Amino acid sequence: MRPQTYISALYGEARGYHRLAIRRQVTENEQLPRAILAIRADRLFAEHVRRCIGRFPLYAERVKAHRGSLPRPGETIRPDELPVWTRRDQIDFFAAQEHPEDSHYVHESGGSTGLVVRFHVTRRSYEWRTAVMDRVYGWAGAEEGVKSLHVWGTTKAANRLHGYKVFVHRALQRRVYFNTLREFTDQERASCCDAINRTKPHAIVGYTGMLVDIARFARDHRALNWKAPTLISTAETLQCGQRELLESQLAHEVFDSYGSREFMNIASECSMHAGYHVASDNLRIEVVDDDGNPVEPGEQGRIVVTDFHNAATPFVRYEVGDNGIMAPPGEPCRCGRPFPLLRRVEGRTQDVILTRRGRVSALNIQDVLEHFEWVEGYQLLQPSREALVIRLLTHTELSEERLLPLRSRLRTQVGDLSVTFERVNELTRRSNGKIELVTSALGVA
Ligand SMILES: [Zn+2]
């Protein structure tokens, strides 16, 4: 553990968060034999399922309807006997759920589907997910205490004290944040390149699309005189040619990472780049067919995730909305780590909106929309370079009073694009049933 991590862990320990113990365990798990880790994961899975059944009557009902009966004490629970928990299920569940005592915070996710899913996260789960995050950052040489530059949205501090805490924490972590929660113009790209030249980070971390955008700018304007040793790309699928572009401009080695708002880090590349190691001490990934039955390793299917440590939400076989392929269990990674490998993952959004001054990732617009509790879903339509239509799924009428703060926040993202809102009762779907997040007449895919 680096001194910085140790200080933060001790602070978390003193506050009663068990941070030191969790950090230690997360580090030690990396050395476990695969068989032991797999047995532990089975146990954690069963514990979480039983906890959800005992705690959430709605979930218990669903299990009973799917399986015919609830598991008896001591009975083995096979994952494929349990229902897939869809985004719709979670939305309905959250609406009916009373605020749980052990909720540390409420978070929300739009994913690539446009439906806003909200969920509670416990303190314990938060400690686990941040520990797992630091472990995989470490694989790319970007753990806390190593100088790194993060290119994405930074949330505004709630008050002065919180702002001070964030400042101290980041200084300890040696992390510099470059805020992209605004229109990404050439000027922004240039100042991001300046920030890289100035801070000389060991690692650059950010949304794939943003980093690709900076790399393009740097190539066309010869704007960089520093190349970071490593880079972590996340949130969007790394498309063909993009790894090469990033490695030619921004960093010597690109580590792709797969995560979601619901779980933070799910799986990450190691230096072998042979797939994504699943954080199987914190969650379980299954790849399933349309009926929720597991497909063979090597075959593509829908990714469902079970979160072992978040007791406040029944994320059991939760459908994140991405597709993936698991590697056969008999093919361990040459790095020797015991975590199973997800060979490929697809479906993360890389949609963009064109403003008069440049491209803006749809993720940035999602960040704004999800901030408003009354928004239940959305779709973005761009008929021309000057206009954006936002279709909002909401159970209340749209009033100017309600839209005003939304408009002002959006302006920081899309500048002077003319934005109109449309209230809808349903989002339109493609022929394959998937909701299309962005429909653009501009051909910017
Ligand atoms: Zn590996």
Side-chain angles (χ1 to χ4, degrees):
M1 240 186 243
R2 288 177 172 264
Q4 287 90 343
T5 313
Y6 207 72
I7 293 169
S8 146
L10 281 178
Y11 171 79
E13 196 62 26
R15 296 291 299 262
Y17 304 155
H18 308 289
R19 189 173 291 167
L20 201 56
I22 291 171
R23 291 274 163 143
R24 272 212 190 106
Q25 199 182 340
V26 164
T27 309
E28 283 167 14
N29 284 348
E30 207 167 334
Q31 311 297 331
L32 283 179
R34 282 197 297 152
I36 304 279
L37 194 73
I39 291 168
R40 283 200 189 168
D42 285 345
R43 202 192 62 218
L44 287 166
F45 179 84
E47 276 172 14
H48 183 58
V49 172
R50 285 186 190 280
R51 183 168 52 207
C52 291
I53 290 173
R55 185 173 172 172
F56 308 120
L58 200 90
Y59 181 68
E61 260 171 47
R62 286 291 311 278
V63 172
K64 203 171 168 190
H66 189 84
R67 196 177 176 270
S69 65
L70 291 173
R72 290 184 304 278
E75 190 185 353
T76 311
I77 304 173
R78 287 207 341 257
D80 59 350
E81 295 171 347
L82 299 167
V84 164
W85 191 244
T86 63
R87 302 175 79 82
R88 193 73 250 174
D89 288 332
Q90 177 55 31
I91 289 168
D92 296 343
F93 174 82
F94 184 85
Q97 185 183 21
E98 279 182 34
H99 192 92
E101 250 176 32
D102 55 350
S103 169
H104 176 45
Y105 60 96
V106 173
H107 204 28
E108 62 279 304
S109 158
S112 49
T113 60
L115 279 177
V116 183
V117 177
R118 296 196 166 82
F119 49 93
H120 292 280
V121 179
T122 60
R123 180 89 225 185
R124 183 171 169 75
S125 174
Y126 174 76
E127 294 294 333
W128 264 92
R129 42 186 76 194
T130 43
V132 162
M133 188 70 118
D134 199 48
R135 177 174 68 198
V136 299
Y137 273 25
W139 299 350
E143 64 270 42
E144 289 178 339
V146 176
K147 200 199 281 180
S148 54
L149 184 99
H150 295 240
V151 185
W152 52 40
T154 52
T155 39
K156 235 181 144 200
N159 54 46
R160 236 181 168 170
L161 178 68
H162 182 231
Y164 181 69
K165 269 168 80 176
V166 169
F167 176 80
V168 170
H169 191 212
R170 286 185 181 162
L172 266 176
Q173 291 176 319
R174 298 184 71 204
R175 287 186 182 160
V176 177
Y177 282 77
F178 189 85
N179 193 356
T180 60
L181 270 183
R182 52 191 153 181
E183 199 177 3
F184 212 48
T185 60
D186 269 2
Q187 202 184 341
E188 286 278 294
R189 295 181 188 105
S191 60
C192 189
C193 289
D194 284 347
I196 294 171
N197 290 334
R198 204 171 52 241
T199 52
K200 300 189 170 30
H202 183 85
I204 297 173
V205 183
Y207 288 160
T208 312
M210 284 289 168
L211 297 177
V212 165
D213 216 33
I214 295 165
R216 275 185 166 144
F217 179 85
R219 180 193 57 201
D220 299 344
H221 297 81
R222 297 174 177 276
L224 283 178
N225 56 36
W226 171 259
K227 197 170 179 186
T230 63
L231 177 149
I232 300 176
S233 60
T234 189
E236 295 159 344
T237 308
L238 204 50
Q239 293 170 345
C240 55
Q242 294 186 334
R243 187 187 294 267
E244 292 72 15
L245 174 67
L246 292 172
E247 288 184 345
S248 78
Q249 302 297 322
L250 291 185
H252 292 282
E253 189 174 2
V254 169
F255 291 78
D256 196 24
S257 177
Y258 170 48
S260 79
R261 295 273 183 81
E262 292 90 333
F263 310 109
M264 240 187 227
N265 183 268
I266 297 176
S268 288
E269 278 189 348
C270 67
S271 56
M272 297 296 151
H273 307 286
Y276 304 79
H277 282 291
V278 177
S280 61
D281 48 353
N282 185 43
L283 46 81
R284 161 168 290 172
I285 280 191
E286 296 168 70
V287 177
V288 302
D289 63 19
D290 286 344
D291 299 321
N293 297 315
V295 302
E296 290 297 313
E299 272 179 41
Q300 180 161 314
R302 308 185 299 170
I303 294 177
V304 295
V305 181
T306 302
D307 186 340
F308 301 150
H309 297 107
N310 188 9
T313 301
F315 280 142
V316 177
R317 311 192 86 214
Y318 171 76
E319 187 171 26
V320 264
D322 301 318
N323 289 328
I325 301 173
M326 287 300 287
E331 279 179 29
C333 183
R334 281 184 295 135
C335 73
R337 289 188 177 88
F339 310 110
L341 275 181
L342 182 65
R343 181 150 289 156
R344 271 180 65 184
V345 54
E346 274 168 7
R348 289 169 291 162
T349 178
Q350 200 163 36
D351 292 316
V352 293
I353 295 296
L354 277 187
T355 68
R356 276 175 245 226
R357 292 155 72 195
R359 297 150 72 97
V360 175
S361 166
L363 288 170
N364 284 25
I365 301 183
Q366 288 187 335
D367 279 339
V368 171
L369 295 173
E370 286 161 17
H371 192 80
F372 294 86
E373 255 176 35
W374 48 271
V375 175
E376 292 163 354
Y378 44 77
Q379 271 176 325
L380 310 173
L381 275 71
Q382 187 162 29
S384 73
R385 188 120 191 182
E386 288 75 38
L388 178 67
V389 179
I390 302 184
R391 311 179 74 212
L392 293 173
L393 190 65
T394 155
H395 59 281
T396 45
E397 287 297 328
L398 297 179
S399 62
E400 251 330 289
E401 191 189 0
R402 179 156 264 194
L403 289 173
L404 203 65
L406 178 51
R407 276 187 197 285
S408 98
R409 271 184 172 246
L410 275 173
R411 203 162 301 124
T412 60
Q413 301 292 339
V414 301
D416 56 358
L417 259 191
S418 139
V419 179
T420 46
F421 294 95
E422 232 178 79
R423 183 184 165 209
V424 294
N425 293 318
E426 206 180 335
L427 301 176
T428 51
R429 289 168 190 277
R430 290 191 207 124
S431 52
N432 66 3
K434 267 209 147 191
I435 290 167
E436 196 157 26
L437 182 61
V438 178
T439 309
S440 178
L442 303 175
V444 286

